[in-house]
Amino acid sequence: MGEGARAQIPAILAEHGHRIFVLVDPFIATTPRFAALREAIVARGLDIESASDIPPELPVESLVALTARAREFGPDAILAVGGGSVLDAAKLVALLATHGGALPDYYGENAVPGPVLPIVAVPTTAGTGSEATPVAVVSDPDRALKVGVSSRHLVPAVAVVDAEFTLGAPAGVTAASGIDALVHAAESYTAAPLELDWSAELPVFLGRNLVSDTIALDAAQRIGRWLPVAVEQPEHREARRELAYGSLLGGISFASSGTHLSHALQYPIGALTHTPHGVGTGLMLPYVLDAIRVEPGTAGRIAELGLALGSTADSVEGRVDDAVAITAQLGQRIGLPSSLAALGVEREQLPHIAELGLQSRRLLAISPIPASAELLLEILERAHDGALTGRSI
Ligand SMILES: [Fe+2]
């Protein structure tokens, strides 16, 4: 992690072999920074084959085509330079190139049989934290919602986070990806702990735990402070650095804990409105916090999040009110729609969204309050109307 850290990439790649399949975001591929990196890799004596035709929604057929190219080249390792889709593509190409079969064989949790080709992940947006997580998400035309492949074998071998790659990213991209990182931190911190059977195979996502707790609060504090600055001043180096670091921390945090309600609801909302992942999760976050505050232990955790986000209230209730209001105001400041109505969702569509949201069982398993269809619908109705219970600050 650091500005200029990309200079380490050729040496890191050389540790993993000589033939490197490079997946790179099509815009990043045209930049002088990437050209210099490419040159340095070649100068190191490594053979590379690059692909940059990576569609943002990551349809399954695009991964099949990329895997065929990778197989033909026969790489020792994969270098991924791009946003969440590019990093996820690298995970899935590494999976298919190593183990064969078809992608649906691996949907869900713990279906990857063993290690995959090593991935060196270099994020160029600050948000998904995919450089540190065990999950990749794809669009399958046979499924109504996006589907995930989750396995610890998909965690990249190395993450190189160089915030200079994020300098100048457009406000809309910065906002949607950055707010998602805050949702990762907030949902990791408020996740329920799972009862673990240590003698059996563990689930990929364990609910909140000691490691994720510390990291999540640090992430929230950095993102809350610096996201609006990065959106308003795209070349602000300190903001970009803090946001890239906050995003990495958010990724490390939810990599072990998982996320819950905002994510479970975003999948159907995103499918319906064709809006970016972070727009949906970021819009939902204040409404989710507002709903889960009824559980006393969770209220204490939301209060701590409130402190990390700048609350100066001296009671738990006041800090929870602030956490809800600050996350809502942050969304508005960076240009997110403040309600599902503003996003174009009709009230009549809410029961169907709630029903689809229920399908995300692995996310709902770590919801801090029982996630019934009624609860999801209630959260959706409030989000539709822009109705938060907390006072505004
Ligand atoms: Fe997310």
Side-chain angles (χ1 to χ4, degrees):
M1 166 79 220
E3 289 154 282
R6 63 187 180 281
Q8 290 290 315
I9 293 171
I12 292 168
L13 290 171
E15 286 179 10
H16 290 95
H18 281 90
R19 296 179 69 77
I20 312 297
F21 191 61
V22 182
L23 289 173
V24 55
D25 171 88
F27 171 72
I28 295 289
T30 65
T31 61
R33 268 191 199 102
F34 181 76
L37 172 62
R38 193 177 201 287
E39 227 167 82
I41 296 169
V42 173
R44 183 94 193 184
L46 305 179
D47 292 332
I48 61 175
E49 164 85 9
S50 302
S52 59
D53 44 346
I54 304 157
E57 298 293 309
L58 230 51
V60 171
E61 67 270 18
S62 68
L63 293 159
V64 172
L66 287 168
T67 302
R69 282 175 65 183
R71 276 220 160 116
E72 201 174 312
F73 176 67
D76 301 313
I78 297 184
L79 170 65
V81 185
S85 305
V86 174
L87 305 192
D88 281 9
K91 292 173 180 179
L92 298 168
V93 169
L95 164 62
L96 292 175
T98 308
H99 295 291
L103 215 41
D105 301 344
Y106 305 105
Y107 290 166
E109 283 207 353
N110 280 336
V112 177
V116 302
L117 277 174
I119 298 162
V120 176
V122 185
T124 60
T125 60
T128 66
S130 185
E131 67 273 16
T133 72
V135 61
V137 180
V138 290
S139 304
D140 184 329
D142 295 338
R143 309 277 184 121
L145 303 181
K146 286 194 175 180
V147 271
V149 178
S150 302
S151 161
R152 63 192 160 85
H153 297 303
L154 296 190
V155 179
V158 183
V160 178
V161 182
D162 185 336
E164 285 186 352
F165 273 124
T166 69
L167 281 174
V173 172
T174 305
S177 48
I179 196 75
D180 190 41
L182 179 63
V183 184
H184 296 157
E187 295 206 323
S188 175
Y189 196 67
T190 54
L194 279 190
E195 288 278 329
L196 298 177
D197 174 0
W198 293 106
S199 64
E201 182 181 46
L202 292 178
V204 175
F205 297 111
L206 309 173
R208 73 167 192 254
N209 58 79
L210 290 170
V211 175
S212 66
D213 271 359
T214 320
I215 298 170
L217 274 188
D218 191 357
Q221 190 261 332
R222 290 171 196 273
I223 299 162
R225 176 166 178 200
W226 291 104
L227 173 56
V229 182
V231 170
E232 286 154 18
Q233 301 172 59
E235 301 287 344
H236 196 296
R237 285 184 167 264
E238 188 175 8
R240 290 294 184 184
R241 180 170 63 239
E242 289 290 316
L243 201 53
Y245 188 45
S247 167
L248 171 68
L249 294 180
I252 295 172
S253 176
F254 96 84
S256 67
S257 65
T259 58
H260 54 84
L261 293 164
S262 303
H263 278 76
L265 292 169
Q266 187 280 328
Y267 286 115
I269 293 167
L272 200 69
T273 59
H274 304 286
T275 46
H277 175 78
V279 169
T281 58
L283 191 165
M284 292 309 298
L285 179 64
Y287 300 99
V288 166
L289 294 178
D290 206 16
I292 62 178
R293 64 186 291 168
V294 297
E295 202 278 309
T298 306
R301 291 189 155 256
I302 302 170
E304 286 179 71
L305 265 178
L307 284 177
L309 293 171
S311 170
T312 53
D314 50 16
S315 68
V316 166
E317 202 180 333
R319 290 169 185 169
V320 173
D321 282 346
D322 284 352
V324 172
I326 290 169
T327 50
Q329 287 173 0
L330 178 63
Q332 282 165 39
R333 183 169 163 194
I334 63 171
L336 296 189
S338 59
S339 69
L340 287 176
L343 196 65
V345 176
E346 306 286 344
R347 215 161 211 286
E348 307 77 72
Q349 295 175 305
L350 300 180
H352 185 54
I353 295 174
E355 206 175 289
L356 290 171
L358 278 181
Q359 292 179 9
S360 293
R361 281 188 292 275
R362 109 190 126 75
L363 300 177
L364 300 181
I366 58 164
S367 168
I369 58 174
S372 61
E374 294 73 33
L375 174 76
L376 297 191
L377 187 56
E378 191 191 321
I379 295 172
L380 288 166
E381 283 173 350
R382 288 183 166 278
H384 182 268
D385 300 347
L388 290 165
T389 60
R391 64 180 165 76
S392 57
I393 58 167

